[in-house]
Amino acid sequence: MRLLLVFSILSAGFCWAQAGDDSKPASSNVMGAQYPRISSDLRATFRLRAPDARTVQVQVGADQTHYDLVKGADGTWTGITPPLVPGFHYYFFFVDGAQVSDPASHAFYGYSRDSSGIEAPEKGVDYYEPKDVPHGDVRAHWYYSKLTEAWRRCFVYTPPGYDTNIRLRYPVLYLQHGSGEDETGWSNQGRVSFILDNLIAAKKAKPMIVVMDRGYATRAGEPAPAPPAAPGAQPAGRGAQPGRGAGFGGTSAFEDVVINELIPMVDSTFRTLPDREHRAMAGLSMGGMQTFQIALNHLDKFAYIGGFSGAGGGMGRGAAFDVKTAYNGVLNDAAAFNKKVKLVWVGAGGAELNGIGASVVSFRDALQKAGIKVVYYESPGTAHEWLTWRRDLNEFAPRLF
Amino acid sequence: MRLLLVFSILSAGFCWAQAGDDSKPASSNVMGAQYPRISSDLRATFRLRAPDARTVQVQVGADQTHYDLVKGADGTWTGITPPLVPGFHYYFFFVDGAQVSDPASHAFYGYSRDSSGIEAPEKGVDYYEPKDVPHGDVRAHWYYSKLTEAWRRCFVYTPPGYDTNIRLRYPVLYLQHGSGEDETGWSNQGRVSFILDNLIAAKKAKPMIVVMDRGYATRAGEPAPAPPAAPGAQPAGRGAQPGRGAGFGGTSAFEDVVINELIPMVDSTFRTLPDREHRAMAGLSMGGMQTFQIALNHLDKFAYIGGFSGAGGGMGRGAAFDVKTAYNGVLNDAAAFNKKVKLVWVGAGGAELNGIGASVVSFRDALQKAGIKVVYYESPGTAHEWLTWRRDLNEFAPRLF
């Protein structure tokens, strides 16, 4: 990586002059951590103390580049990246070849591990920041699944006023994470509560309950997918992206868990409007595939369907997509489908269209060719990453219920 | 560390024969991770892939030892520890001198970072495991603090039935984390919801709300304590323990935040019994010091007081303790104090009495010498660690309200 080595030596050389001027600790850092820092042009300066290491590199977000850090006299290594795309990016350090997390970063579950993450601020954008508006709660809720014979945890956003308007019942959005992520993703990386709080306060979205379940489920006794040989083995590490494959988690029983266990539990535990007209499902990447599978197979349960950077029709898994046969043929009668289904949302990042986004676009095309009404959203300049999905949610939620 | 090197070479040599037989992946691992593993005698086998590293070590819990891992032909390093004390332990890898987290572990905020943690199972003990009983929720709740001019997050446990028994009001326990930890500690490391669910189901504890706030607060404009020079600089790293110092977080405004902002917010947001007879405060380590300071300075607000491995009287900070003058002299009239305060709980780990526990015991002695009724609890065989505090909570909660 000669070029980058040169680059990072240079940049490390003037990172104080450049980044030092207006750079600030990333908001995703743990309390007190001064690195990583973000400058106003969104270049990130990373630093790690590794006195005896021979090489330290950092990989940030969808960019597969390993940036070399340069060792200082005090045993800390420093490196600076080109300007980042705004929003949230996973990152990893490689210390003498070991892929590890940054002790200065809060952990965000992605790539099938508690990864480091860096938030690059988006100028003039605050729809996913806490504001002086009423705030809903996000509850960790445990329930027992007979299908999997295991306790499961989901997170449930209850909107402002839920505890006081005790006569009111609410519509429900089921919102899923991507592969290698888990039920914490939408709260931590996705900022779901702030996005909904702000939309509801602005009267842009109806007060709703949002249920974020764990997208992995295998029937009791059914073997889970083979685990990695060792923690350092990289199931979704360098080169992989959330949304490719199912990480380590089996998903074969997830549809049945949602239909037969999760929805009945939610409708009996929370003050929901328990009919299809007041139930939506959406998900990102793998969660989008799961959403199309579950919602299209159960139109009696859902009237609103959203895929964020996730294709249906099996295309995400490389299979052919025949609208005549897919999903038990529900797409055959477009008129009837368009009458019954209030919204089909297909979203993708503008910078992922040569990657995972391609299957999303061809899924959209196939639906439209079949006469299915589709709302397509393309997030400007973002790849297969959380800013794409925050924007999806911010545009999708106002169209619900 | 010659002896340990020899030890770990040996153990690595026969860890398959020994640990391989009955060892299981730790329950604190991320999904699918096969290491670290725990054998029935609670020896832990750690493994990290670090093909180019020259040294890999692991440090576990209160034990300051750095255990050397041994490199295998496939670039993974393996090492085994002596039997661990049951319960939760923080751990770190050192890769060529860099202190990093294990990608195979879930992250637990401690030592002022998202650290790795390993759960060593406790034979025949399940009071902190999920059981087939009604479960309360733990809510992430945001509120704005005018004193600090910042949004703050607390976690609030609402007991089973809170959403359905809409006429019922509940007593409140304010429960604090230790230094270098945060508001997530009691939910993640402490298992607070399972402990309360199980106590309430067994009718051993009254249904109560538990509020877990962030124990750091500095007035707007007041400088926070100096941050570390760089991540990896070890404020509470090797050698330090939760409970020593305040990590990176200032605490000077925490008492005022609790009294003037948190309690009024909780009483206006949740269905509480808002009088002192139905309000308790407890905390671990630094949170214990904060509890004695806040509760003893505001006996009009609290009737139950608990310190888990945390001394009051300023002793935790090395200052002298004069019962006559401390806490505005509330300890002078023991008879009046014992009549007014329903419970003073002082807990410590049996294995920390030569360390932080010593100040706890002498605080207890000073109180008793002054005629103050104290319930003292000593956790058998545990140090300044979470199993001590889970046991404290499990014994303390039944005495409340």
Side-chain angles (χ1 to χ4, degrees):
Chain A
M1 209 155 286
R2 164 92 29 229
L3 183 65
L4 285 157
L5 180 61
V6 172
F7 167 75
S8 63
I9 285 172
L10 285 175
S11 55
F14 54 68
C15 76
W16 277 115
Q18 294 250 338
D21 290 344
D22 73 350
S23 70
K24 298 193 182 69
S27 62
S28 39
N29 292 0
V30 297
M31 176 172 57
Q34 296 300 295
Y35 290 84
R37 302 177 72 84
I38 302 268
S39 58
S40 59
D41 64 358
L42 302 192
R43 289 172 309 123
T45 306
F46 291 93
R47 179 166 287 190
L48 181 72
R49 179 174 165 73
D52 309 328
R54 284 170 297 185
T55 65
V56 177
Q57 300 176 309
V58 65
Q59 179 195 339
V60 187
D63 177 359
Q64 296 308 308
T65 307
H66 283 207
Y67 294 101
D68 294 289
L69 277 62
V70 174
K71 188 176 183 178
D74 62 352
T76 62
W77 296 67
T78 305
I80 190 164
T81 68
L84 301 176
V85 172
F88 175 88
H89 307 286
Y90 295 108
Y91 72 95
F92 306 97
F93 280 130
F94 293 84
V95 177
D96 286 343
Q99 182 174 356
V100 295
S101 296
D102 183 352
S105 171
H106 273 300
F108 301 88
Y109 193 77
Y111 291 87
S112 299
R113 67 192 62 186
D114 273 332
S115 300
S116 298
I118 184 167
E119 184 76 24
E122 200 177 0
K123 278 198 184 58
V125 172
D126 63 359
Y127 67 87
Y128 49 78
E129 300 296 341
K131 297 192 210 175
D132 186 15
V133 299
H135 287 264
D137 288 346
V138 174
R139 310 175 176 199
H141 184 79
W142 290 84
Y143 68 102
Y144 187 76
S145 160
K146 287 182 177 163
L147 273 164
T148 62
E149 290 180 12
W151 285 97
R152 291 174 62 85
R153 179 180 65 173
C154 61
F155 286 91
V156 179
Y157 169 82
T158 52
Y162 182 86
D163 290 312
T164 47
N165 306 329
I166 57 177
R167 298 263 168 279
L168 269 186
R169 303 184 72 85
Y170 297 84
V172 184
L173 164 63
Y174 290 82
L175 186 62
Q176 288 303 120
H177 60 80
S179 169
E181 297 171 340
D182 70 9
E183 67 273 22
T184 63
W186 271 107
S187 302
N188 294 345
Q189 294 93 303
R191 308 278 189 94
V192 64
S193 66
F194 298 141
I195 293 173
L196 268 293
D197 292 340
N198 292 330
L199 286 172
I200 292 168
K203 301 206 170 339
K204 291 181 181 170
K206 295 212 170 53
M208 66 183 80
I209 293 167
V210 182
V211 176
M212 298 154 280
D213 198 33
R214 183 174 181 78
Y216 310 103
T218 47
R219 247 176 216 70
E222 184 185 343
Q234 293 167 32
R238 181 177 187 181
Q241 297 185 319
R244 290 243 166 100
F248 303 148
T251 60
S252 56
F254 184 62
E255 178 173 355
D256 290 345
V257 165
V258 169
I259 297 300
N260 301 318
E261 298 187 323
L262 179 63
I263 291 175
M265 180 281 289
V266 168
D267 285 336
S268 64
T269 306
F270 297 92
R271 297 199 315 277
T272 64
L273 293 161
D275 55 30
R276 70 177 293 280
E277 283 70 24
H278 297 92
R279 193 179 293 120
M281 185 167 185
L284 72 93
S285 198
M286 177 185 81
M289 293 187 241
Q290 293 175 315
T291 294
F292 288 117
Q293 176 194 332
I294 294 170
L296 292 176
N297 284 342
H298 302 276
L299 288 183
D300 58 314
K301 295 272 194 301
F302 300 94
Y304 302 83
I305 307 171
F308 307 163
S309 304
M315 302 176 82
R317 296 184 294 279
F321 176 47
D322 176 357
V323 290
K324 296 254 172 294
T325 57
Y327 308 112
N328 311 313
V330 291
L331 302 169
N332 276 329
D333 184 341
F337 182 93
N338 292 334
K339 189 149 177 282
K340 182 165 194 174
V341 178
K342 307 269 186 268
L343 174 64
V344 176
W345 174 280
V346 175
E352 65 171 327
L353 298 182
N354 296 329
I356 293 175
S359 66
V360 174
V361 169
S362 49
F363 177 64
R364 174 205 64 186
D365 294 344
L367 290 177
Q368 289 177 330
K369 188 153 171 254
I372 305 297
K373 266 195 236 141
V374 175
V375 174
Y376 175 69
Y377 171 75
E378 199 168 285
S379 166
T382 59
H384 202 70
E385 58 191 310
W386 275 96
L387 187 56
T388 303
W389 308 321
R390 290 177 187 172
R391 288 172 174 170
D392 269 302
L393 179 62
N394 195 50
E395 300 293 328
F396 176 76
R399 296 166 172 271
L400 300 180
F401 315 123
Chain B
M1 210 156 290
R2 166 103 15 237
L3 184 64
L4 285 157
L5 179 60
V6 171
F7 167 75
S8 62
I9 285 172
L10 284 175
S11 54
F14 54 70
C15 76
W16 279 113
Q18 294 250 337
D21 289 345
D22 74 349
S23 70
K24 298 193 181 70
S27 63
S28 39
N29 293 0
V30 297
M31 177 172 57
Q34 296 301 294
Y35 290 83
R37 302 177 71 84
I38 302 269
S39 58
S40 59
D41 64 358
L42 301 193
R43 286 172 311 123
T45 305
F46 291 93
R47 178 166 288 190
L48 181 72
R49 184 162 194 282
D52 310 327
R54 285 170 297 185
T55 65
V56 177
Q57 301 177 308
V58 65
Q59 178 195 339
V60 187
D63 178 359
Q64 295 310 306
T65 306
H66 283 207
Y67 295 101
D68 294 289
L69 277 63
V70 173
K71 189 176 183 178
D74 62 353
T76 63
W77 296 67
T78 306
I80 192 166
T81 67
L84 301 176
V85 172
F88 175 88
H89 306 286
Y90 294 107
Y91 72 95
F92 305 96
F93 280 130
F94 293 83
V95 177
D96 286 343
Q99 182 174 354
V100 295
S101 297
D102 183 352
S105 170
H106 273 300
F108 301 88
Y109 193 76
Y111 292 87
S112 299
R113 67 193 64 185
D114 273 332
S115 301
S116 298
I118 184 166
E119 185 75 27
E122 199 178 1
K123 278 197 183 60
V125 173
D126 63 359
Y127 67 88
Y128 49 77
E129 301 296 340
K131 296 193 211 175
D132 185 14
V133 299
H135 287 264
D137 289 345
V138 174
R139 309 175 176 199
H141 183 80
W142 290 83
Y143 68 102
Y144 187 76
S145 160
K146 287 183 178 162
L147 274 165
T148 62
E149 290 179 12
W151 286 96
R152 292 173 62 86
R153 180 180 64 174
C154 61
F155 286 90
V156 179
Y157 168 84
T158 52
Y162 182 86
D163 291 312
T164 47
N165 306 328
I166 56 176
R167 298 262 168 279
L168 267 187
R169 303 184 73 85
Y170 297 84
V172 183
L173 165 63
Y174 290 81
L175 186 62
Q176 287 304 121
H177 59 82
S179 169
E181 298 171 339
D182 69 10
E183 67 273 22
T184 62
W186 271 108
S187 301
N188 294 345
Q189 294 94 302
R191 308 278 189 92
V192 63
S193 65
F194 298 141
I195 292 173
L196 266 294
D197 291 342
N198 292 329
L199 286 172
I200 291 167
K203 301 213 173 331
K204 289 180 183 170
K206 295 213 169 53
M208 66 183 79
I209 293 167
V210 182
V211 176
M212 297 154 280
D213 198 34
R214 182 173 183 79
Y216 310 102
T218 47
R219 245 174 216 72
E222 184 185 342
Q234 292 167 31
R238 181 178 186 180
Q241 296 185 319
R244 291 242 167 102
F248 302 149
T251 58
S252 55
F254 184 62
E255 178 173 355
D256 289 344
V257 165
V258 170
I259 297 300
N260 301 319
E261 299 188 321
L262 179 64
I263 292 176
M265 180 279 290
V266 168
D267 285 335
S268 64
T269 307
F270 297 92
R271 297 199 315 279
T272 64
L273 292 162
D275 55 30
R276 68 177 296 278
E277 282 70 26
H278 297 92
R279 193 180 294 121
M281 185 168 185
L284 72 94
S285 197
M286 177 185 81
M289 293 187 243
Q290 293 175 315
T291 295
F292 287 117
Q293 176 194 331
I294 294 170
L296 293 176
N297 284 342
H298 302 277
L299 288 184
D300 59 313
K301 296 271 194 300
F302 300 94
Y304 301 83
I305 307 170
F308 307 163
S309 304
M315 302 176 81
R317 297 184 293 279
F321 176 46
D322 177 358
V323 290
K324 295 256 170 294
T325 57
Y327 307 111
N328 311 312
V330 290
L331 303 170
N332 276 330
D333 185 341
F337 182 94
N338 292 334
K339 188 151 178 281
K340 182 165 196 175
V341 178
K342 308 267 188 269
L343 174 64
V344 175
W345 174 279
V346 175
E352 66 171 326
L353 299 183
N354 296 329
I356 293 175
S359 66
V360 174
V361 169
S362 47
F363 177 65
R364 172 205 65 187
D365 294 344
L367 290 177
Q368 289 177 330
K369 188 153 170 259
I372 305 297
K373 268 195 235 140
V374 175
V375 174
Y376 175 70
Y377 171 75
E378 199 168 284
S379 166
T382 60
H384 202 71
E385 58 191 310
W386 275 96
L387 186 56
T388 302
W389 307 320
R390 290 177 187 172
R391 288 173 174 170
D392 269 303
L393 179 62
N394 195 49
E395 300 294 327
F396 176 76
R399 296 167 172 269
L400 300 179
F401 314 124

